Amino acid sequence: MTDEHTADRDELALGRIETEVALLMRFGEATRRGTGTTEHRLLDRAAYVILRHLASVGPQNVSALAAKLNLDGSTVTRQVSAMQRDGLIARTPDPTDGRGTVISPTPAGLQRMAAVQAARTRLYGDILAAWSPDDRDSLAALLHRLNQALESRSRPR
């Protein structure tokens, strides 16, 4: 195989990847909006992502949360304030900085997050029912690699 052939093949693959990721985002959003079950609507997307992260790593201050999610601090502050009003998170004094607070999920927040996660897992189980367990494992591994690469790319350099 020549270097030119390899470059052409790689360019074609990258174009297909771009198309498939664009379609994935569009169909994913359409699926989320079109799903009729209540569980899918218990949390908006931002609250779900924040609660999943906090459940995974534990309490964090807004700055750390914003950095992890690659969002502006003021955006996260607004989202967290709305979540606090809804009883999904609690703020407590930051043990490392007496002036700040840390955010942690409430039992109600964790319960809603678990309901949404279970509903999404069932949905993907239905969508991927015809796929073999090996294909599902491969998809999970490749999506994880893609998300890691996207996360690394989005960090400030």
Side-chain angles (χ1 to χ4, degrees):
M1 220 181 280
T2 67
D3 287 343
E4 185 176 316
H5 177 72
T6 301
D8 289 346
R9 182 175 171 215
D10 192 45
E11 188 170 331
L12 287 173
L14 292 173
R16 287 178 38 222
I17 291 167
E18 184 282 326
T19 299
E20 295 303 327
V21 169
L23 289 171
L24 176 66
M25 292 188 304
R26 182 172 91 54
F27 289 136
E29 181 60 23
T31 300
R32 184 188 69 77
R33 280 193 325 269
T35 301
T37 61
T38 305
E39 293 95 346
H40 288 274
R41 295 190 178 95
L42 288 174
L43 294 170
D44 67 31
R45 190 176 6 182
Y48 180 72
V49 169
I50 289 170
L51 286 167
R52 286 289 310 260
H53 178 68
L54 293 173
S56 173
V57 302
Q60 290 203 316
N61 65 35
V62 169
S63 298
L65 195 53
K68 175 63 179 173
L69 301 177
N70 195 31
L71 294 169
D72 182 70
S74 63
T75 300
V76 173
T77 298
R78 282 192 303 279
Q79 291 169 338
V80 164
S81 293
M83 292 172 69
Q84 186 176 17
R85 280 191 303 277
D86 292 341
L88 303 174
I89 58 99
R91 293 179 195 247
T92 55
D94 186 338
T96 62
D97 177 2
R99 300 167 295 164
T101 60
V102 292
I103 313 305
S104 57
T106 62
L110 291 173
Q111 185 178 20
R112 280 202 210 173
M113 182 205 68
V116 172
Q117 184 178 12
R120 287 179 175 190
T121 300
R122 284 191 306 275
L123 175 65
Y124 285 113
D126 292 345
I127 291 169
L128 301 174
W131 291 39
S132 72
D134 286 345
D135 283 348
R136 289 180 187 198
D137 284 341
S138 294
L139 177 62
L142 290 170
L143 287 171
H144 180 74
R145 281 180 60 194
L146 176 61
N147 281 323
Q148 284 182 315
L150 289 168
E151 181 181 21
S152 294
R153 175 85 178 188
S154 69
R155 285 190 198 120
R157 295 170 197 230

